[in-house]
């Protein structure tokens, strides 16, 4: 793949940074550009892109990490489920350290709960097939990139008539939360760097509706530093020319209509519902729950755990961080009490969490 | 968590394909795509191929940059 070398050509990057500075001057006011993808947050940190920006161009991070926005109540439920006899919990690795109200999955595993980490939902299904005498519950979190794969896994499970496989549904949709943030008072977003791999599935249409209604430029971006710089440039140019639209910078992977087959599978299995985002609150039409046809897989229905005592730690600013209102540097616990080894809040857990990415790459 | 990487298709068998990057080989589910062929590059996330990489478009993105100047 020779093209990759070209994307990493530093001369090209320098030229584009010059253009960004030129537009920074031309616009001559503060501009907030939000990325809503944890991998973009990491790349911006890793390559020091924030520091390359003109003073009036702020790159702010939004709710782009699925693990960070999974409500505390969900984590507490997963922990309660892990205590049931003959239950195996299967999860993506990022979920292990997320702090619940009183414990974490990692601590429960140390206390001999049966919790396995997998890379793919298909691996979770294999665990169910290999452990027919147990009930296997997969912690189903993730955005549009991940949800169709889980939906497909449920379809396979149904076809194969596997009776001991369940999911705890916590999947979420990105465009509704973008819209929610645009409506928030005192969050000022002048442009979005849209998540590349979410867009692989959903295509352009949701962003077109957002861009038109709120008059903000939305650029779907790839994952090389060059892609991000180019996306920032395209956003600034749109603002300057007052021509806010959707641009697909990541055409090498994102098709205009997205992956129709994947979306079809996703909506065959899941219904859209209002859903709670950790630190943000209830967001209309932003969550997914199994359709009636797939209710036999729903761990919530099957095990009926009710958590009344879930409670957030007050000191953690994750909510404000996820909304782009505060930076991790504004949190008095950052670095001192809260770090990736001992995360106090959810944004410090996954490597894609805003606090964790800032801890790793952007400490002063 | 949405990290997804391009990998080269080495072999296709029904709903699955063997894909590689460098020396690493993996089996991935390709049932969410149409017409995956040996030699294609696919974007792999959590054990599934979610899209094909379009090499022509990859070069065109670089063209956008030429227009800037
Ligand atoms: S640094 Fe830790 S406590 Fe502070 S907002 Fe981030 S995750 Fe929460």
């Amino acid at each position: 793949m020779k093209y990759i070398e070209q994307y990493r050509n530093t001369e090209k990057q320098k030229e584009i940074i010059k253009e960004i500075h030129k537009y920074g001057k031309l616009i001559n006011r503060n501009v907030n550009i939000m990325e809503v993808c944890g991998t973009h947050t990491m790349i911006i940190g890793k390559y020091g892109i924030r520091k390359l920006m003109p003073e009036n161009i702020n790159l702010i991070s939004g709710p782009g990490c699925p693990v960070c926005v999974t409500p505390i109540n969900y984590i507490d439920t997963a922990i309660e489920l892990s205590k049931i006899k003959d239950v195996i919990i299967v999860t993506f690795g990022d979920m292990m350290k997320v702090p619940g109200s009183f414990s974490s999955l990692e601590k429960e595993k140390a206390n001999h709960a049966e919790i396995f980490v997998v890379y793919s939902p298909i691996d979770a299904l294999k665990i169910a097939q290999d452990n027919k005498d147990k009930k296997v519950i997969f912690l189903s979190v993730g955005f549009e990139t991940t949800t169709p794969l889980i939906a497909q896994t449920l379809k396979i499970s149904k076809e194969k008539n596997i009776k001991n496989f369940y999911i705890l549904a916590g999947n979420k949709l990105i465009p509704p939360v973008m819209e929610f943030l645009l409506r928030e008072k005192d969050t000022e977003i002048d442009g979005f760097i849209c998540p590349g791999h979410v867009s692989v599935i959903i295509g352009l249409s949701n962003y077109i509706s957002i861009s038109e209604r709120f008059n903000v430029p939305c650029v779907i971006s790839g994952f090389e530093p060059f892609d991000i710089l180019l996306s920032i440039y395209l956003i600034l140019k749109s603002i300057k020319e007052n021509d806010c639209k959707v641009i697909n910078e990541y055409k090498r992977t994102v098709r205009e209509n997205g992956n129709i087959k994947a979306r079809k599978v996703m909506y065959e299995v899941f219904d859209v519902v209002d859903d709670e985002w950790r630190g943000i609150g209830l967001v209309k039409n932003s969550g997914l729950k199994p359709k009636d046809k797939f209710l036999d897989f729903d761990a919530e229905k099957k095990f009926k755990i009710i958590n009344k005592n879930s409670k957030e730690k007050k000191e953690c600013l994750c909510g404000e961080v996820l909304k782009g209102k505060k930076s991790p540097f504004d949190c008095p616990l950052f670095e001192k009490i809260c770090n990736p080894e001992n995360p106090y809040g959810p944004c410090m857990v996954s490597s894609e969490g805003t606090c964790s990415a800032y801890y790793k790459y952007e400490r002063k | 968590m949405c990290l997804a990487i391009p990998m080269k298709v080495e072999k296709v068998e029904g709903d699955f394909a063997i894909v590689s990057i460098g020396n690493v080989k993996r089996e991935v589910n390709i049932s969410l795509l149409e017409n995956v062929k040996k030699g294609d590059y696919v974007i792999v996330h959590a054990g599934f191929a979610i899209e094909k990489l379009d090499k022509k478009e990859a070069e065109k993105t670089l063209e956008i940059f030429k227009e800037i100047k």
Side-chain angles (χ1 to χ4, degrees), chain A residues 316-318 321 331 333-334 338 344-348 355:
Chain A
C316 172
L317 293 188
C318 271
V321 170
C331 174
L333 306 188
F334 181 74
C338 183
Y344 189 82
C347 301
M348 190 56 96
C355 294

Side-chain angles (χ1 to χ4, degrees), chain A residues 3 12 16 19 39 43 56 59 99 108 126 131 139 155 157 160 180 200 217 223 226 290-291 298 320 327 338 355 361:
Chain A
Y3 80 89
K12 285 196 171 137
I16 216 165
E19 290 295 314
T39 316
I43 290 165
N56 59 326
L59 302 183
E108 295 303 314
K126 279 195 195 118
N131 293 276
L139 303 186
K155 282 184 67 184
S157 178
K160 293 193 172 168
F180 178 93
V200 160
F223 295 90
F226 173 87
K291 277 194 157 52
D298 190 344
E320 301 299 288
S327 140
C338 183
C355 294
Y361 301 115

Side-chain angles (χ1 to χ4, degrees), chain B residues 2-69:
Chain B
C2 300
L3 186 70
I5 41 172
M7 297 177 93
K8 191 174 179 186
V9 176
E10 303 286 348
K11 203 166 134 194
V12 175
E13 273 170 23
D15 276 347
F16 288 86
I18 305 292
V19 296
S20 70
I21 184 165
N23 293 326
V24 179
K25 282 203 168 126
R26 260 212 183 121
E27 187 185 63
V28 295
N29 186 303
I30 52 170
S31 63
L32 297 175
L33 291 179
E34 312 273 3
N35 298 327
V36 175
K37 292 186 296 293
K38 187 178 166 190
D40 286 345
Y41 280 89
V42 288
I43 306 293
V44 173
H45 168 60
F48 283 76
I50 57 169
E51 192 47 275
K52 285 191 212 173
L53 184 94
D54 185 330
K55 276 183 250 173
K56 275 198 208 108
E57 287 295 347
E59 273 144 32
K60 272 200 227 152
T61 306
L62 295 162
E63 296 290 310
I64 305 184
F65 178 71
K66 277 191 203 143
E67 288 163 22
I68 290 171
K69 290 185 298 166

